[in-house]
Amino acid sequence: MKLAVVGGGSTYTPELVAGLARERERLDLTEVVLQDIDPERREVVGGLAGRMLSAAGYEGKLSVTDDLDAAVDGASFVLIQLRVGGQEARLSDETIPLACGCIGQETTGAGGLGKALRTVPVVLQIADRVRELAADDAWIVDFTNPVGIVVRGLLDAGHRAVGLCNVAIGLQRAIAPLLGVEPPRVLVDQVGLNHLTWVRAVHLDGKDVLPELIAEHGDELAADVELPRALIERLGAIPSYYLHYFYFHDNVLEEQRTGTPRAAEVAEIERELLDLYRDPKLTTKPALLERRGGAYYSDAATQLVASLATGNGDVQVVDIRNSGTLAGLAEDDVVEVPARIDAAGAAPLPQSPLAPELLGLVQHVAAYERLAAQAAITGERELVYKALLAHPLIGQVPQVEELTENLLAAGRAHLPQFEPREVTA
């Protein structure tokens, strides 16, 4: 089996390679291709990836290239993990909203929209080459944020794609030791939209133990998601960490106004990581990678690829079409829910309706995501305006008008779809 990683020069790649090395036999992995447009990253990250695979006993082929067509040609799986515009664009996503009095975050709110506008068209171009050149039954696995909007774009265009986030597996790995068991025995029933989810049940060997878990380990759960224990108890569910942007909006905004942008911190971490990756003696992912974010990404990605390849029918949390799973959302909305994975794809498990206090927020953001995907594809400024107006973290006309202009101006180099079109008679 051939697997291609688009954006293979990412500092995340050693995390992914570690997982692939562990699962190389189950995956029958014969070729890995890392594709990236950045020559320095290709050399540095590709070098470490080669040493890691060799140390793990991988006997297949590793290729490092800037040629997208060569990378995806004949591939059974294409993993997409790119950042259009790099960390400089991320810094813009985080700071432009702040100047307008709104939270600045790369996947949520106005910053998330800025990233979506740059990213969706590029991912769709990649997907078109996958459709043309990859194996007939190839899967696209998207880890590129904002995952929900990117996957909506892929599915709307008819691509064979599924989205992946590390939040659910991170919670599983945090909860398992609290229960004194190995992670495979724990299933977190996480539902909602990407980066807007709640765990409404925790199944241990098929039995829901969430009430006892909250009662006995509420403090640990609260610390993990950085939200108060009292909130978890009142909801009877564990909110994703990303809910603190909504539930503690004013506190977060004040912290961001006086603190260092996360983009600046990540840029420094990446510089340090690349320096470490250059060490010819390094054959394992360095501990510093944990500070980069994306913990357990390798486990989530390799589990998903293995299940799609072998059709073993296990349950994983992925981003897919709603298809009636969550009442109150449209059939074609992209939701993040547990699904049974086999060679045919991901089939969402049945879900009870969301409580009103959860559903209202989900509907609000789902409407925004629909408009955001349309704006990214069509290049219509009016849809950018409406998407910002619909988002619950923005929604005020003065800020919406200013953000529409500022986001499009800052991203101009990566937003050709918004260039004025010639009118022909």
Side-chain angles (χ1 to χ4, degrees), residues 113 116-117 121 368 370-389 400 403-405 407-408 415-421:
L113 178 59
L117 297 178
Y368 150 78
R370 179 181 297 275
L371 291 163
Q374 293 172 353
I377 293 166
T378 64
E380 293 185 22
R381 297 172 67 91
E382 193 66 12
L383 288 172
V384 176
Y385 179 97
K386 289 179 179 178
L388 291 166
L389 194 64
V400 167
L403 283 167
T404 299
E405 298 302 318
L407 289 174
L408 294 179
L415 299 175
Q417 71 272 39
F418 287 94
E419 292 298 320
R421 299 173 177 83

PDB file of all heavy atoms in Angstrom, residues 113 116-117 121 368 370-389 400 403-405 407-408 415-421:
ATOM      1  N   LEU A 113     -12.191  31.623   9.966  1.00  0.00           N
ATOM      2  CA  LEU A 113     -12.698  31.951   8.634  1.00  0.00           C
ATOM      3  C   LEU A 113     -11.555  32.360   7.716  1.00  0.00           C
ATOM      4  O   LEU A 113     -11.493  31.937   6.556  1.00  0.00           O
ATOM      5  CB  LEU A 113     -13.736  33.072   8.722  1.00  0.00           C
ATOM      6  CG  LEU A 113     -14.295  33.537   7.374  1.00  0.00           C
ATOM      7  CD1 LEU A 113     -14.965  32.394   6.625  1.00  0.00           C
ATOM      8  CD2 LEU A 113     -15.275  34.691   7.562  1.00  0.00           C
ATOM      9  N   ALA A 116      -9.918  29.274   6.616  1.00  0.00           N
ATOM     10  CA  ALA A 116     -10.762  28.505   5.699  1.00  0.00           C
ATOM     11  C   ALA A 116     -10.740  29.095   4.295  1.00  0.00           C
ATOM     12  O   ALA A 116     -10.680  28.354   3.300  1.00  0.00           O
ATOM     13  CB  ALA A 116     -12.193  28.455   6.226  1.00  0.00           C
ATOM     14  N   LEU A 117     -10.790  30.412   4.185  1.00  0.00           N
ATOM     15  CA  LEU A 117     -10.809  31.050   2.870  1.00  0.00           C
ATOM     16  C   LEU A 117      -9.539  30.732   2.091  1.00  0.00           C
ATOM     17  O   LEU A 117      -9.582  30.557   0.862  1.00  0.00           O
ATOM     18  CB  LEU A 117     -10.959  32.566   3.026  1.00  0.00           C
ATOM     19  CG  LEU A 117     -12.259  33.062   3.670  1.00  0.00           C
ATOM     20  CD1 LEU A 117     -12.240  34.586   3.799  1.00  0.00           C
ATOM     21  CD2 LEU A 117     -13.485  32.599   2.891  1.00  0.00           C
ATOM     22  N   PRO A 121      -9.827  26.161  -1.096  1.00  0.00           N
ATOM     23  CA  PRO A 121      -9.520  26.028  -2.527  1.00  0.00           C
ATOM     24  C   PRO A 121      -8.265  25.205  -2.798  1.00  0.00           C
ATOM     25  O   PRO A 121      -8.223  24.430  -3.764  1.00  0.00           O
ATOM     26  CB  PRO A 121      -9.341  27.483  -2.985  1.00  0.00           C
ATOM     27  CG  PRO A 121     -10.107  28.293  -2.002  1.00  0.00           C
ATOM     28  CD  PRO A 121      -9.925  27.587  -0.699  1.00  0.00           C
ATOM     29  N   TYR A 368     -22.788  29.058  10.192  1.00  0.00           N
ATOM     30  CA  TYR A 368     -21.556  29.771   9.828  1.00  0.00           C
ATOM     31  C   TYR A 368     -20.673  28.914   8.926  1.00  0.00           C
ATOM     32  O   TYR A 368     -20.138  29.394   7.913  1.00  0.00           O
ATOM     33  CB  TYR A 368     -20.794  30.164  11.097  1.00  0.00           C
ATOM     34  CG  TYR A 368     -19.303  30.225  10.898  1.00  0.00           C
ATOM     35  CD1 TYR A 368     -18.704  31.315  10.262  1.00  0.00           C
ATOM     36  CD2 TYR A 368     -18.482  29.161  11.306  1.00  0.00           C
ATOM     37  CE1 TYR A 368     -17.330  31.352  10.051  1.00  0.00           C
ATOM     38  CE2 TYR A 368     -17.115  29.198  11.094  1.00  0.00           C
ATOM     39  CZ  TYR A 368     -16.545  30.291  10.463  1.00  0.00           C
ATOM     40  OH  TYR A 368     -15.201  30.314  10.239  1.00  0.00           O
ATOM     41  N   ARG A 370     -21.429  26.516   6.896  1.00  0.00           N
ATOM     42  CA  ARG A 370     -22.002  26.417   5.554  1.00  0.00           C
ATOM     43  C   ARG A 370     -21.644  27.656   4.734  1.00  0.00           C
ATOM     44  O   ARG A 370     -21.190  27.557   3.581  1.00  0.00           O
ATOM     45  CB  ARG A 370     -23.518  26.258   5.650  1.00  0.00           C
ATOM     46  CG  ARG A 370     -24.242  26.162   4.301  1.00  0.00           C
ATOM     47  CD  ARG A 370     -25.747  26.039   4.519  1.00  0.00           C
ATOM     48  NE  ARG A 370     -26.060  24.830   5.237  1.00  0.00           N
ATOM     49  CZ  ARG A 370     -26.233  23.641   4.671  1.00  0.00           C
ATOM     50  NH1 ARG A 370     -26.111  23.525   3.350  1.00  0.00           N
ATOM     51  NH2 ARG A 370     -26.524  22.581   5.384  1.00  0.00           N
ATOM     52  N   LEU A 371     -21.824  28.820   5.316  1.00  0.00           N
ATOM     53  CA  LEU A 371     -21.521  30.070   4.620  1.00  0.00           C
ATOM     54  C   LEU A 371     -20.019  30.203   4.363  1.00  0.00           C
ATOM     55  O   LEU A 371     -19.603  30.680   3.300  1.00  0.00           O
ATOM     56  CB  LEU A 371     -22.019  31.256   5.447  1.00  0.00           C
ATOM     57  CG  LEU A 371     -23.539  31.402   5.540  1.00  0.00           C
ATOM     58  CD1 LEU A 371     -23.917  32.325   6.697  1.00  0.00           C
ATOM     59  CD2 LEU A 371     -24.105  31.935   4.225  1.00  0.00           C
ATOM     60  N   ALA A 372     -19.203  29.781   5.333  1.00  0.00           N
ATOM     61  CA  ALA A 372     -17.747  29.878   5.182  1.00  0.00           C
ATOM     62  C   ALA A 372     -17.256  29.027   4.023  1.00  0.00           C
ATOM     63  O   ALA A 372     -16.412  29.468   3.224  1.00  0.00           O
ATOM     64  CB  ALA A 372     -17.060  29.464   6.473  1.00  0.00           C
ATOM     65  N   ALA A 373     -17.763  27.805   3.916  1.00  0.00           N
ATOM     66  CA  ALA A 373     -17.346  26.927   2.819  1.00  0.00           C
ATOM     67  C   ALA A 373     -17.758  27.511   1.480  1.00  0.00           C
ATOM     68  O   ALA A 373     -16.985  27.483   0.506  1.00  0.00           O
ATOM     69  CB  ALA A 373     -17.949  25.534   3.011  1.00  0.00           C
ATOM     70  N   GLN A 374     -18.961  28.043   1.407  1.00  0.00           N
ATOM     71  CA  GLN A 374     -19.432  28.655   0.162  1.00  0.00           C
ATOM     72  C   GLN A 374     -18.583  29.870  -0.207  1.00  0.00           C
ATOM     73  O   GLN A 374     -18.234  30.064  -1.377  1.00  0.00           O
ATOM     74  CB  GLN A 374     -20.899  29.051   0.297  1.00  0.00           C
ATOM     75  CG  GLN A 374     -21.853  27.877   0.415  1.00  0.00           C
ATOM     76  CD  GLN A 374     -23.277  28.311   0.734  1.00  0.00           C
ATOM     77  OE1 GLN A 374     -23.542  29.489   0.992  1.00  0.00           O
ATOM     78  NE2 GLN A 374     -24.192  27.359   0.733  1.00  0.00           N
ATOM     79  N   ALA A 375     -18.234  30.672   0.792  1.00  0.00           N
ATOM     80  CA  ALA A 375     -17.422  31.860   0.539  1.00  0.00           C
ATOM     81  C   ALA A 375     -16.043  31.464   0.014  1.00  0.00           C
ATOM     82  O   ALA A 375     -15.519  32.083  -0.924  1.00  0.00           O
ATOM     83  CB  ALA A 375     -17.283  32.685   1.815  1.00  0.00           C
ATOM     84  N   ALA A 376     -15.440  30.448   0.610  1.00  0.00           N
ATOM     85  CA  ALA A 376     -14.104  30.022   0.203  1.00  0.00           C
ATOM     86  C   ALA A 376     -14.075  29.528  -1.236  1.00  0.00           C
ATOM     87  O   ALA A 376     -13.105  29.750  -1.965  1.00  0.00           O
ATOM     88  CB  ALA A 376     -13.603  28.920   1.139  1.00  0.00           C
ATOM     89  N   ILE A 377     -15.142  28.890  -1.649  1.00  0.00           N
ATOM     90  CA  ILE A 377     -15.188  28.305  -2.990  1.00  0.00           C
ATOM     91  C   ILE A 377     -15.581  29.337  -4.046  1.00  0.00           C
ATOM     92  O   ILE A 377     -14.997  29.392  -5.131  1.00  0.00           O
ATOM     93  CB  ILE A 377     -16.169  27.108  -3.005  1.00  0.00           C
ATOM     94  CG1 ILE A 377     -15.604  25.977  -2.136  1.00  0.00           C
ATOM     95  CG2 ILE A 377     -16.418  26.626  -4.431  1.00  0.00           C
ATOM     96  CD1 ILE A 377     -16.605  24.900  -1.809  1.00  0.00           C
ATOM     97  N   THR A 378     -16.541  30.184  -3.721  1.00  0.00           N
ATOM     98  CA  THR A 378     -17.068  31.121  -4.729  1.00  0.00           C
ATOM     99  C   THR A 378     -16.308  32.432  -4.803  1.00  0.00           C
ATOM    100  O   THR A 378     -16.333  33.112  -5.831  1.00  0.00           O
ATOM    101  CB  THR A 378     -18.541  31.449  -4.439  1.00  0.00           C
ATOM    102  OG1 THR A 378     -18.638  32.148  -3.174  1.00  0.00           O
ATOM    103  CG2 THR A 378     -19.384  30.176  -4.387  1.00  0.00           C
ATOM    104  N   GLY A 379     -15.653  32.822  -3.713  1.00  0.00           N
ATOM    105  CA  GLY A 379     -14.984  34.118  -3.692  1.00  0.00           C
ATOM    106  C   GLY A 379     -15.947  35.284  -3.621  1.00  0.00           C
ATOM    107  O   GLY A 379     -15.616  36.394  -4.045  1.00  0.00           O
ATOM    108  N   GLU A 380     -17.115  35.064  -3.037  1.00  0.00           N
ATOM    109  CA  GLU A 380     -18.112  36.132  -2.914  1.00  0.00           C
ATOM    110  C   GLU A 380     -17.939  36.848  -1.578  1.00  0.00           C
ATOM    111  O   GLU A 380     -18.084  36.253  -0.507  1.00  0.00           O
ATOM    112  CB  GLU A 380     -19.525  35.560  -3.020  1.00  0.00           C
ATOM    113  CG  GLU A 380     -19.847  34.999  -4.403  1.00  0.00           C
ATOM    114  CD  GLU A 380     -21.294  34.545  -4.505  1.00  0.00           C
ATOM    115  OE1 GLU A 380     -22.128  35.027  -3.695  1.00  0.00           O
ATOM    116  OE2 GLU A 380     -21.586  33.715  -5.377  1.00  0.00           O
ATOM    117  N   ARG A 381     -17.642  38.141  -1.632  1.00  0.00           N
ATOM    118  CA  ARG A 381     -17.429  38.931  -0.416  1.00  0.00           C
ATOM    119  C   ARG A 381     -18.675  38.950   0.462  1.00  0.00           C
ATOM    120  O   ARG A 381     -18.573  38.977   1.687  1.00  0.00           O
ATOM    121  CB  ARG A 381     -17.050  40.369  -0.789  1.00  0.00           C
ATOM    122  CG  ARG A 381     -15.744  40.489  -1.550  1.00  0.00           C
ATOM    123  CD  ARG A 381     -15.537  41.907  -2.045  1.00  0.00           C
ATOM    124  NE  ARG A 381     -15.327  42.833  -0.947  1.00  0.00           N
ATOM    125  CZ  ARG A 381     -14.131  43.149  -0.456  1.00  0.00           C
ATOM    126  NH1 ARG A 381     -13.045  42.608  -0.968  1.00  0.00           N
ATOM    127  NH2 ARG A 381     -14.014  44.007   0.539  1.00  0.00           N
ATOM    128  N   GLU A 382     -19.834  38.947  -0.158  1.00  0.00           N
ATOM    129  CA  GLU A 382     -21.075  39.003   0.610  1.00  0.00           C
ATOM    130  C   GLU A 382     -21.215  37.779   1.515  1.00  0.00           C
ATOM    131  O   GLU A 382     -21.772  37.862   2.620  1.00  0.00           O
ATOM    132  CB  GLU A 382     -22.273  39.110  -0.328  1.00  0.00           C
ATOM    133  CG  GLU A 382     -23.586  39.489   0.348  1.00  0.00           C
ATOM    134  CD  GLU A 382     -23.580  40.896   0.933  1.00  0.00           C
ATOM    135  OE1 GLU A 382     -22.648  41.680   0.621  1.00  0.00           O
ATOM    136  OE2 GLU A 382     -24.497  41.218   1.702  1.00  0.00           O
ATOM    137  N   LEU A 383     -20.715  36.630   1.055  1.00  0.00           N
ATOM    138  CA  LEU A 383     -20.772  35.423   1.873  1.00  0.00           C
ATOM    139  C   LEU A 383     -19.784  35.487   3.037  1.00  0.00           C
ATOM    140  O   LEU A 383     -20.039  34.931   4.104  1.00  0.00           O
ATOM    141  CB  LEU A 383     -20.496  34.187   1.015  1.00  0.00           C
ATOM    142  CG  LEU A 383     -21.613  33.795   0.048  1.00  0.00           C
ATOM    143  CD1 LEU A 383     -21.156  32.678  -0.877  1.00  0.00           C
ATOM    144  CD2 LEU A 383     -22.866  33.363   0.819  1.00  0.00           C
ATOM    145  N   VAL A 384     -18.658  36.170   2.852  1.00  0.00           N
ATOM    146  CA  VAL A 384     -17.729  36.398   3.966  1.00  0.00           C
ATOM    147  C   VAL A 384     -18.433  37.217   5.043  1.00  0.00           C
ATOM    148  O   VAL A 384     -18.379  36.897   6.233  1.00  0.00           O
ATOM    149  CB  VAL A 384     -16.457  37.119   3.481  1.00  0.00           C
ATOM    150  CG1 VAL A 384     -15.538  37.450   4.656  1.00  0.00           C
ATOM    151  CG2 VAL A 384     -15.723  36.278   2.452  1.00  0.00           C
ATOM    152  N   TYR A 385     -19.091  38.268   4.614  1.00  0.00           N
ATOM    153  CA  TYR A 385     -19.847  39.140   5.533  1.00  0.00           C
ATOM    154  C   TYR A 385     -20.900  38.319   6.284  1.00  0.00           C
ATOM    155  O   TYR A 385     -21.014  38.398   7.511  1.00  0.00           O
ATOM    156  CB  TYR A 385     -20.507  40.256   4.718  1.00  0.00           C
ATOM    157  CG  TYR A 385     -21.346  41.223   5.526  1.00  0.00           C
ATOM    158  CD1 TYR A 385     -20.818  42.439   5.959  1.00  0.00           C
ATOM    159  CD2 TYR A 385     -22.677  40.934   5.845  1.00  0.00           C
ATOM    160  CE1 TYR A 385     -21.595  43.333   6.691  1.00  0.00           C
ATOM    161  CE2 TYR A 385     -23.446  41.810   6.571  1.00  0.00           C
ATOM    162  CZ  TYR A 385     -22.904  43.019   6.987  1.00  0.00           C
ATOM    163  OH  TYR A 385     -23.672  43.894   7.714  1.00  0.00           O
ATOM    164  N   LYS A 386     -21.660  37.516   5.563  1.00  0.00           N
ATOM    165  CA  LYS A 386     -22.739  36.754   6.195  1.00  0.00           C
ATOM    166  C   LYS A 386     -22.194  35.682   7.130  1.00  0.00           C
ATOM    167  O   LYS A 386     -22.791  35.395   8.184  1.00  0.00           O
ATOM    168  CB  LYS A 386     -23.631  36.138   5.124  1.00  0.00           C
ATOM    169  CG  LYS A 386     -24.485  37.160   4.381  1.00  0.00           C
ATOM    170  CD  LYS A 386     -25.339  36.502   3.308  1.00  0.00           C
ATOM    171  CE  LYS A 386     -26.213  37.533   2.597  1.00  0.00           C
ATOM    172  NZ  LYS A 386     -27.019  36.915   1.503  1.00  0.00           N
ATOM    173  N   ALA A 387     -21.068  35.072   6.772  1.00  0.00           N
ATOM    174  CA  ALA A 387     -20.470  34.061   7.644  1.00  0.00           C
ATOM    175  C   ALA A 387     -20.048  34.685   8.974  1.00  0.00           C
ATOM    176  O   ALA A 387     -20.300  34.129  10.048  1.00  0.00           O
ATOM    177  CB  ALA A 387     -19.271  33.417   6.952  1.00  0.00           C
ATOM    178  N   LEU A 388     -19.408  35.849   8.901  1.00  0.00           N
ATOM    179  CA  LEU A 388     -19.002  36.553  10.126  1.00  0.00           C
ATOM    180  C   LEU A 388     -20.220  36.985  10.932  1.00  0.00           C
ATOM    181  O   LEU A 388     -20.218  36.914  12.169  1.00  0.00           O
ATOM    182  CB  LEU A 388     -18.157  37.769   9.762  1.00  0.00           C
ATOM    183  CG  LEU A 388     -16.771  37.470   9.182  1.00  0.00           C
ATOM    184  CD1 LEU A 388     -16.174  38.724   8.543  1.00  0.00           C
ATOM    185  CD2 LEU A 388     -15.842  36.935  10.260  1.00  0.00           C
ATOM    186  N   LEU A 389     -21.260  37.411  10.259  1.00  0.00           N
ATOM    187  CA  LEU A 389     -22.483  37.832  10.940  1.00  0.00           C
ATOM    188  C   LEU A 389     -23.140  36.658  11.662  1.00  0.00           C
ATOM    189  O   LEU A 389     -23.737  36.820  12.728  1.00  0.00           O
ATOM    190  CB  LEU A 389     -23.451  38.449   9.930  1.00  0.00           C
ATOM    191  CG  LEU A 389     -24.632  39.241  10.484  1.00  0.00           C
ATOM    192  CD1 LEU A 389     -24.159  40.486  11.234  1.00  0.00           C
ATOM    193  CD2 LEU A 389     -25.589  39.637   9.349  1.00  0.00           C
ATOM    194  N   VAL A 400     -18.190  43.067  11.941  1.00  0.00           N
ATOM    195  CA  VAL A 400     -18.305  42.258  10.726  1.00  0.00           C
ATOM    196  C   VAL A 400     -17.809  43.028   9.513  1.00  0.00           C
ATOM    197  O   VAL A 400     -17.063  42.502   8.674  1.00  0.00           O
ATOM    198  CB  VAL A 400     -19.759  41.791  10.524  1.00  0.00           C
ATOM    199  CG1 VAL A 400     -19.968  41.232   9.112  1.00  0.00           C
ATOM    200  CG2 VAL A 400     -20.135  40.748  11.567  1.00  0.00           C
ATOM    201  N   LEU A 403     -13.959  43.387   9.813  1.00  0.00           N
ATOM    202  CA  LEU A 403     -13.272  42.114   9.637  1.00  0.00           C
ATOM    203  C   LEU A 403     -13.327  41.628   8.194  1.00  0.00           C
ATOM    204  O   LEU A 403     -12.356  41.037   7.694  1.00  0.00           O
ATOM    205  CB  LEU A 403     -13.876  41.062  10.569  1.00  0.00           C
ATOM    206  CG  LEU A 403     -13.459  41.149  12.030  1.00  0.00           C
ATOM    207  CD1 LEU A 403     -14.344  40.271  12.903  1.00  0.00           C
ATOM    208  CD2 LEU A 403     -11.996  40.738  12.192  1.00  0.00           C
ATOM    209  N   THR A 404     -14.442  41.841   7.525  1.00  0.00           N
ATOM    210  CA  THR A 404     -14.542  41.436   6.123  1.00  0.00           C
ATOM    211  C   THR A 404     -13.435  42.081   5.308  1.00  0.00           C
ATOM    212  O   THR A 404     -12.731  41.421   4.536  1.00  0.00           O
ATOM    213  CB  THR A 404     -15.916  41.810   5.541  1.00  0.00           C
ATOM    214  OG1 THR A 404     -16.946  41.132   6.270  1.00  0.00           O
ATOM    215  CG2 THR A 404     -16.010  41.422   4.069  1.00  0.00           C
ATOM    216  N   GLU A 405     -13.258  43.386   5.489  1.00  0.00           N
ATOM    217  CA  GLU A 405     -12.226  44.100   4.745  1.00  0.00           C
ATOM    218  C   GLU A 405     -10.829  43.659   5.168  1.00  0.00           C
ATOM    219  O   GLU A 405      -9.948  43.408   4.334  1.00  0.00           O
ATOM    220  CB  GLU A 405     -12.378  45.614   4.944  1.00  0.00           C
ATOM    221  CG  GLU A 405     -13.691  46.181   4.431  1.00  0.00           C
ATOM    222  CD  GLU A 405     -13.891  45.893   2.959  1.00  0.00           C
ATOM    223  OE1 GLU A 405     -12.924  46.022   2.183  1.00  0.00           O
ATOM    224  OE2 GLU A 405     -15.020  45.521   2.575  1.00  0.00           O
ATOM    225  N   LEU A 407      -9.676  40.869   6.787  1.00  0.00           N
ATOM    226  CA  LEU A 407      -9.303  39.493   6.486  1.00  0.00           C
ATOM    227  C   LEU A 407      -8.957  39.317   5.008  1.00  0.00           C
ATOM    228  O   LEU A 407      -7.965  38.657   4.657  1.00  0.00           O
ATOM    229  CB  LEU A 407     -10.429  38.525   6.867  1.00  0.00           C
ATOM    230  CG  LEU A 407     -10.684  38.308   8.361  1.00  0.00           C
ATOM    231  CD1 LEU A 407     -11.929  37.446   8.564  1.00  0.00           C
ATOM    232  CD2 LEU A 407      -9.481  37.650   9.038  1.00  0.00           C
ATOM    233  N   LEU A 408      -9.770  39.909   4.149  1.00  0.00           N
ATOM    234  CA  LEU A 408      -9.517  39.771   2.717  1.00  0.00           C
ATOM    235  C   LEU A 408      -8.261  40.529   2.304  1.00  0.00           C
ATOM    236  O   LEU A 408      -7.494  40.072   1.448  1.00  0.00           O
ATOM    237  CB  LEU A 408     -10.724  40.256   1.917  1.00  0.00           C
ATOM    238  CG  LEU A 408     -12.001  39.416   2.085  1.00  0.00           C
ATOM    239  CD1 LEU A 408     -13.138  39.996   1.257  1.00  0.00           C
ATOM    240  CD2 LEU A 408     -11.749  37.960   1.689  1.00  0.00           C
ATOM    241  N   LEU A 415      -5.679  34.513  -1.795  1.00  0.00           N
ATOM    242  CA  LEU A 415      -7.128  34.509  -2.056  1.00  0.00           C
ATOM    243  C   LEU A 415      -7.434  34.957  -3.487  1.00  0.00           C
ATOM    244  O   LEU A 415      -8.166  35.925  -3.707  1.00  0.00           O
ATOM    245  CB  LEU A 415      -7.837  35.432  -1.054  1.00  0.00           C
ATOM    246  CG  LEU A 415      -7.695  35.075   0.424  1.00  0.00           C
ATOM    247  CD1 LEU A 415      -8.344  36.147   1.296  1.00  0.00           C
ATOM    248  CD2 LEU A 415      -8.315  33.706   0.707  1.00  0.00           C
ATOM    249  N   PRO A 416      -6.938  34.242  -4.480  1.00  0.00           N
ATOM    250  CA  PRO A 416      -7.196  34.652  -5.870  1.00  0.00           C
ATOM    251  C   PRO A 416      -8.668  34.617  -6.241  1.00  0.00           C
ATOM    252  O   PRO A 416      -9.095  35.338  -7.152  1.00  0.00           O
ATOM    253  CB  PRO A 416      -6.393  33.641  -6.694  1.00  0.00           C
ATOM    254  CG  PRO A 416      -6.254  32.441  -5.798  1.00  0.00           C
ATOM    255  CD  PRO A 416      -6.126  33.016  -4.417  1.00  0.00           C
ATOM    256  N   GLN A 417      -9.447  33.800  -5.530  1.00  0.00           N
ATOM    257  CA  GLN A 417     -10.878  33.707  -5.862  1.00  0.00           C
ATOM    258  C   GLN A 417     -11.632  34.998  -5.562  1.00  0.00           C
ATOM    259  O   GLN A 417     -12.749  35.194  -6.069  1.00  0.00           O
ATOM    260  CB  GLN A 417     -11.531  32.523  -5.128  1.00  0.00           C
ATOM    261  CG  GLN A 417     -11.704  32.691  -3.607  1.00  0.00           C
ATOM    262  CD  GLN A 417     -10.513  32.237  -2.799  1.00  0.00           C
ATOM    263  OE1 GLN A 417      -9.377  32.459  -3.199  1.00  0.00           O
ATOM    264  NE2 GLN A 417     -10.764  31.595  -1.666  1.00  0.00           N
ATOM    265  N   PHE A 418     -11.027  35.889  -4.767  1.00  0.00           N
ATOM    266  CA  PHE A 418     -11.688  37.147  -4.431  1.00  0.00           C
ATOM    267  C   PHE A 418     -11.211  38.316  -5.298  1.00  0.00           C
ATOM    268  O   PHE A 418     -11.629  39.451  -5.087  1.00  0.00           O
ATOM    269  CB  PHE A 418     -11.465  37.484  -2.951  1.00  0.00           C
ATOM    270  CG  PHE A 418     -12.261  36.615  -2.021  1.00  0.00           C
ATOM    271  CD1 PHE A 418     -11.699  35.465  -1.480  1.00  0.00           C
ATOM    272  CD2 PHE A 418     -13.570  36.922  -1.699  1.00  0.00           C
ATOM    273  CE1 PHE A 418     -12.427  34.650  -0.635  1.00  0.00           C
ATOM    274  CE2 PHE A 418     -14.314  36.120  -0.859  1.00  0.00           C
ATOM    275  CZ  PHE A 418     -13.742  34.954  -0.309  1.00  0.00           C
ATOM    276  N   GLU A 419     -10.336  38.040  -6.252  1.00  0.00           N
ATOM    277  CA  GLU A 419      -9.896  39.106  -7.157  1.00  0.00           C
ATOM    278  C   GLU A 419     -11.059  39.519  -8.055  1.00  0.00           C
ATOM    279  O   GLU A 419     -11.883  38.694  -8.430  1.00  0.00           O
ATOM    280  CB  GLU A 419      -8.718  38.635  -8.008  1.00  0.00           C
ATOM    281  CG  GLU A 419      -7.437  38.409  -7.214  1.00  0.00           C
ATOM    282  CD  GLU A 419      -6.941  39.695  -6.560  1.00  0.00           C
ATOM    283  OE1 GLU A 419      -7.018  40.765  -7.205  1.00  0.00           O
ATOM    284  OE2 GLU A 419      -6.492  39.632  -5.399  1.00  0.00           O
ATOM    285  N   PRO A 420     -11.133  40.818  -8.400  1.00  0.00           N
ATOM    286  CA  PRO A 420     -12.225  41.279  -9.270  1.00  0.00           C
ATOM    287  C   PRO A 420     -12.235  40.504 -10.582  1.00  0.00           C
ATOM    288  O   PRO A 420     -11.178  40.213 -11.160  1.00  0.00           O
ATOM    289  CB  PRO A 420     -11.884  42.753  -9.503  1.00  0.00           C
ATOM    290  CG  PRO A 420     -11.037  43.135  -8.337  1.00  0.00           C
ATOM    291  CD  PRO A 420     -10.242  41.919  -7.990  1.00  0.00           C
ATOM    292  N   ARG A 421     -13.404  40.140 -11.015  1.00  0.00           N
ATOM    293  CA  ARG A 421     -13.553  39.381 -12.249  1.00  0.00           C
ATOM    294  C   ARG A 421     -13.893  40.315 -13.417  1.00  0.00           C
ATOM    295  O   ARG A 421     -14.660  41.250 -13.265  1.00  0.00           O
ATOM    296  CB  ARG A 421     -14.647  38.325 -12.116  1.00  0.00           C
ATOM    297  CG  ARG A 421     -14.367  37.288 -11.021  1.00  0.00           C
ATOM    298  CD  ARG A 421     -15.567  36.382 -10.842  1.00  0.00           C
ATOM    299  NE  ARG A 421     -15.330  35.327  -9.870  1.00  0.00           N
ATOM    300  CZ  ARG A 421     -15.452  35.462  -8.558  1.00  0.00           C
ATOM    301  NH1 ARG A 421     -15.820  36.641  -8.073  1.00  0.00           N
ATOM    302  NH2 ARG A 421     -15.221  34.449  -7.753  1.00  0.00           N
TER     303      ARG A 421
END
